Each structure stands twice: as C-alpha cells, then as structure tokens.
Amino acid sequence: KTTILKDRMRQGSSLVFIALVMALVYHPRYLHVSSLKLPFLRRLLPSRTSTSTSPSRLTTTRMKTSKAEKKRRSLPPPEPAPPGSSFPKEAFAQKSFFHQEVLHQSSKSSARVTRVTTPHGSFLTPSFVAVATNAALKGVSIDAARAANQDLIFCNSYHLLLQPGPEVIEEAGGLHKYMGMKEGSTMGPLITDSGGFQVFSLKYGTVFEDLKTAKRTDGSFDASLDVSASRGELKRAARPASPGPASRGGSRRKSSVKVTEEGVVFTSYRDGREVLLTPESTVAAQKAYGSDIIIPLDELPSYDTSREDLVKSVELTHRWEARSLREHLKDVKGQAMYGVVHGGVERDVRKGSLDYLTDLPFDGFCVGGSLGGNREEMLGMLDYVMEEYREIERSKFGRSKPLHLLGIADEASIREAVTLGIDTFDSCYPTRLARHGTLLTREGKLHIKSGKHKKSYGVPIDEKCGCDTCKKYDRAYMNHLYRASEPLFLQLA
C-alpha cells in the first residue's frame, strides 16, 4: 500500500507541474516563456500551430491589434494646426482690459516685478496663485485670502463642470459673485483651466505618480519636487486597477479616458456618466464662469511617453489650442486666454511648441506638462524655455506678456524660477500640506502633528509671523486640534 501511494503521489506531482507550466506559457503576461528552447517543454506542451476549434489567446491578441492598427491607418491624417496668419489681425492688438506693465527689471537675473491689469482688478508679479479647486480654498475664506495679499486665485474647470455645472454659475452671475467677492473689498481676478489636466491625470496618473512609477534608471527622481498637488485636487471614478506594470507611454490603470481629434471623453467621478470635453465646450464653460484668464484644452502625456508619441501629442494640443482660441475670439467677453507650451523633456519639441504658439494671438502663456525627473532637470528646462521666450518677447511682441508655470509652486522651485523671469505659479501645495499637519514657516516645514509638540506651551508656530494663528495660538493647542480632527484646525492652519 505504501509503494502504491508513493507512485500515485509522484504521478500527481507530475500532473501539477505540467499544469503550472501550461498556465505560465499560455498566460498573456508570460508568453515569452514559450520561446525558451527547452526540450522538455516541447515534449510536454501541445504545438501552438496545431489545429484547434478555439484559437489561442496569443492569436486573438494579434488579431485584435491588427484590426486596431488597420483602422488607425485607414483614417486620414489630421490637418496641421493653422498658422497665425489665419487669425484676424485685430486679435493681435493689446487688449485695453488686459495688459502687463513691467515695474522693475532685475540687473542680476531675469527676475521682474510687473503689474497685470484685468477687468476685476490687478495683481502684482512674481506671485503665488492659490488653487480654489471647487471655487473654494481649503480652510481659507475669500476674506482671509485677500487679507493675506492673495490677489489672483485659480479655479478648476474639471470639478466645476461636474458640480455645480457652468449653467448654475452663469445664472448666479459668474464665478466672482458666486464665490462671494465684493466690489471694493474682496473682488479680484480669477484664472480657470480647461479641465484637461485632471482628465488626463485619470488616464496617466498625476505628474508625481508618473515620476514615482517611471523613475529613471539612474534614480534621478527627487521626491522633494512635490507636484502631486498640481492644479487642484484629483478625484477618480471608482474602477478596478489593471494588472501588470506600465508599458512605455501607456497608463498604469484601466483608463476610462478616450482621446480623439474631436476631444476627450471621460467618466464622471460623481455619477459615472460619460462627459465629452472639446476645445469648444471647455471655452464655453469658462465663458459661463466669467473668469479673467482662461486656458485652452491641452493633452498631458505621461512622463515616460516615447518621443514619437510626444510629438503627436504636442501636435494634437496645438490643433486643440487653435480651436479653443478661435472659439474664444468669437466673443471675448473681457477675458484673456493663455496658450500652453508643451514638449515634455525634449528641448527641440518645446521650442517648436513655443515658436508655434507665440505666432498666435494669445494674451499670455503657460508652461505645462512634465519638465523633468527632479528639480535640477526642471530648472534646466525652464531656463532654456525662458531664454527662448525672452527673445520672442523682444522680436515678436515688442511688449511683455505674462508667463505662468502650471502646477509647480513649492517654495524652493519658486525661488529659483522667479530668477528666470516666470511671473506666476499655481498649486494647492500649501493648503494640502496644512490640512495634513505640516505648516510652512520661515524656519522651514513644521510637522505640527508630531507628538513632540504636545506640550509646546506658549511656543508660536512662527515667532516672526503676524497672522492671527501665530499671535493667538501655540503649538500645543494646534497639535491637539489636529489630533482631535477638529475642523477649526483647517481654518487656523
């Protein structure tokens, strides 16, 4: 009986081994295993070329790819982005309601102090632009923001498009009135984006996720370059994650975003409905908001996108931005439009984007997309872009136009980028840090949630700060508010 039992166990083990090998070979993730020239595999496994009633998964995959490729090749190539000469000459004239005045130019760098005039007031540069994702700053009232000299505020079209909707904001009298801004006190300029950043973040992940997942082989990613808070809080529609690592230029999760020449279709995180965002529709939404500065629809490729795909993406962005600009010029409504320069980390692609967009009648420009894997690489790219831009200002414009850096506004990056001549920077970086227990002080970051502050009686957050929080509350009390999850902490922090 013992001998028979051992024989059966050996037979069972062999069957299990064969089953595991077949599972590995036929699993789509491990198809490369079948290419190994192992004699025992050829003896154990059926031939892939053998006739069968159902084709192998490999054959099916190839058939699908082939059909998709044939469909793509059958489509006529899109027309190139229109030249600047196709736009009316009057569109290139300086707007009376929007212009930039240089008040001081540094003799040691390209840093400059300017005043930008808009229909709802002016703002000085260089300046940080706080992000009011849902038309509200997290934990900060509009009165407190103005008291802190926050002149220009950034709102996200993606979120406002889904809740409450452009039609509601328009019926309320526009975004300024909807947010409770009052003439002579809290009234000030607003800038809104197209919603493209958040939509493409659903497809590719945020820039921070790109860098973290697609870290370079030399380990050059710098976690301190915190751009995960770029351009508003991101909310995703619930969906299962796709298995396997990301391919170069591909997404890291099953995407609900579809990109066509017409625009981009995404799934609402609120109710699951499909929403089509086009260059024309995003301009119409921003017209309803009544913001002072609006941004055209652009595609945001991932950090690890191949050069070929990057060039195609920039070309698509140029066509979208030109369509957005034409729609805007049909009824300007006292709004300025900034063009968005793309090109990833490829300098010649960046220059091509800058050359093309500055031929169009935009009122200002933004630098967008991925700029590098660490702060040094980002600043190198910005230095290159700004050198080209300064020459364009002199030769093409004959006057200054504002330049905004999208989504990067940590203090270290601002200090460096200001010397390059960049005017404004947006991010929800400080408000997001604060509500998660980290405060920004003159001495650096203060982790108020740390237990060492539990008994810091009488110690202010920042001894040199004159704000109400620093004058009235100590670190011990702020530590308690955070640990108790008191809503007051958000307001004070």
Side-chain angles (χ1 to χ4, degrees):
K1 290 181 179 180
T2 303
T3 303
I4 293 172
L5 181 61
K6 288 181 179 179
D7 288 341
R8 288 180 178 175
M9 288 177 66
R10 280 195 294 270
Q11 292 173 5
S13 299
S14 299
L15 291 173
V16 170
F17 172 74
I18 293 172
L20 286 172
V21 171
M22 292 181 69
L24 285 172
V25 172
Y26 282 93
H27 193 282
R29 281 203 218 171
Y30 305 105
L31 286 173
H32 62 279
V33 175
S34 63
S35 65
L36 296 176
K37 296 180 179 179
L38 301 178
F40 75 92
L41 281 180
R42 289 200 295 269
R43 289 195 300 269
L44 291 174
L45 299 176
S47 173
R48 287 189 182 277
T49 60
S50 60
T51 57
S52 175
T53 55
S54 60
S56 68
R57 296 183 68 173
L58 177 62
T59 306
T60 305
T61 303
R62 284 175 177 168
M63 288 174 63
K64 288 180 179 178
T65 304
S66 177
K67 287 180 180 179
E69 184 67 17
K70 287 180 180 178
K71 183 177 180 181
R72 185 185 68 80
R73 290 178 179 177
S74 65
L75 294 174
E79 293 184 4
S85 58
S86 65
F87 288 83
K89 290 184 178 180
E90 58 269 20
F92 291 86
Q94 181 171 295
K95 310 282 192 307
S96 59
F97 58 83
F98 184 88
H99 53 87
Q100 183 181 42
E101 176 189 2
V102 178
L103 303 179
H104 176 74
Q105 177 67 58
S106 172
S107 59
K108 298 180 180 179
S109 71
S110 296
R112 61 185 184 180
V113 177
T114 79
R115 178 185 290 110
V116 180
T117 301
T118 80
H120 291 94
S122 62
F123 59 92
L124 294 173
T125 75
S127 63
F128 168 76
V129 183
V131 176
T133 303
N134 290 294
L137 295 167
K138 296 289 191 294
V140 182
S141 68
I142 192 66
D143 297 83
R146 297 304 187 206
N149 297 319
Q150 187 65 68
D151 296 326
L152 180 62
I153 295 177
F154 200 110
C155 296
N156 294 118
S157 286
Y158 169 79
H159 298 284
L160 298 177
L161 185 69
L162 302 178
Q163 168 61 37
E167 65 285 348
V168 173
I169 295 175
E170 187 173 30
E171 288 177 7
L175 205 49
H176 297 82
K177 189 175 181 181
Y178 192 61
M179 293 174 64
M181 296 185 184
K182 306 295 183 184
E183 289 287 352
S185 58
T186 57
M187 183 58 71
L190 292 174
I191 178 171
T192 53
D193 61 1
S194 66
F197 174 82
Q198 283 78 17
V199 170
F200 287 105
S201 293
L202 297 176
K203 181 175 183 179
Y204 298 119
T206 63
V207 178
F208 180 79
E209 288 171 339
D210 272 340
L211 296 175
K212 198 171 183 180
T213 309
K215 180 178 178 181
R216 294 188 169 191
T217 54
D218 64 356
S220 61
F221 168 66
D222 182 0
S224 67
L225 184 56
D226 189 351
V227 293
S228 58
S230 301
R231 293 169 76 176
E233 303 294 321
L234 178 65
K235 298 182 177 67
R236 307 185 190 279
R239 61 183 180 277
S242 60
S247 61
R248 181 169 177 79
S251 67
R252 291 164 181 77
R253 58 181 65 82
K254 186 176 180 181
S255 175
S256 60
V257 177
K258 301 173 186 176
V259 183
T260 66
E261 186 67 29
E262 181 184 9
V264 56
V265 177
F266 66 96
T267 302
S268 167
Y269 67 85
R270 298 191 64 86
D271 52 17
R273 63 188 169 94
E274 283 196 340
V275 180
L276 172 63
L277 196 64
T278 69
E280 293 78 16
S281 68
T282 187
V283 170
Q286 293 181 84
K287 294 292 179 186
Y289 302 151
S291 43
D292 300 274
I293 302 169
I294 63 178
I295 297 177
L297 183 63
D298 58 333
E299 185 181 21
L300 181 75
S302 62
Y303 173 73
D304 58 343
T305 296
S306 66
R307 178 182 172 84
E308 180 183 1
D309 289 339
L310 176 65
V311 171
K312 290 179 181 178
S313 172
V314 172
E315 290 173 348
L316 176 63
T317 286
H318 288 172
R319 295 192 294 273
W320 280 358
E321 291 195 47
R323 284 168 54 189
S324 298
L325 183 58
R326 286 197 191 282
E327 187 68 20
H328 164 61
L329 293 175
K330 290 178 182 178
D331 187 4
V332 175
K333 286 189 173 181
Q335 294 174 304
M337 178 177 274
Y338 284 10
V340 185
V341 178
H342 276 278
V345 294
E346 302 289 343
R347 292 197 172 193
D348 59 324
V349 182
R350 283 273 175 190
K351 186 178 186 306
S353 181
L354 188 63
D355 288 342
Y356 172 71
L357 293 175
T358 52
D359 279 342
L360 305 187
F362 286 109
D363 303 295
F365 298 92
C366 303
V367 179
S370 177
L371 291 162
N374 54 42
R375 185 174 288 109
E376 182 180 0
E377 189 175 351
M378 177 196 73
L379 292 172
M381 178 59 73
L382 288 177
D383 187 25
Y384 171 78
V385 170
M386 290 306 299
E387 185 176 354
E388 295 290 333
Y389 183 72
R390 286 191 294 271
E391 179 58 34
I392 287 172
E393 271 194 334
R394 289 190 292 268
S395 60
K396 283 187 181 181
F397 305 150
R399 66 179 190 273
S400 66
K401 289 188 178 183
L403 199 136
H404 180 88
L405 181 58
L406 283 167
I408 298 177
D410 60 288
E411 185 181 357
S413 297
I414 289 177
R415 287 183 181 276
E416 295 288 345
V418 161
T419 65
L420 303 178
I422 296 175
D423 297 308
T424 48
F425 312 78
D426 78 274
S427 178
C428 55
Y429 177 73
T431 50
R432 194 187 70 159
L433 276 182
R435 69 177 184 273
H436 287 92
T438 298
L439 310 181
L440 298 175
T441 75
R442 286 168 175 78
E443 303 300 322
K445 293 180 181 178
L446 175 66
H447 302 291
I448 197 65
K449 59 186 176 183
S450 173
K452 68 180 182 181
H453 298 299
K454 186 176 182 178
K455 296 184 178 181
S456 296
Y457 310 123
V459 181
I461 301 297
D462 188 330
E463 292 182 354
K464 298 179 181 179
C465 182
C467 76
D468 285 343
T469 300
C470 291
K471 288 191 296 184
K472 297 179 180 178
Y473 306 99
D474 61 17
R475 297 185 182 187
Y477 184 62
M478 292 293 288
N479 175 269
H480 156 68
L481 292 179
Y482 177 82
R483 289 176 171 271
S485 300
E486 283 293 334
L488 178 60
F489 175 83
L490 299 179
Q491 180 183 339
L492 297 180

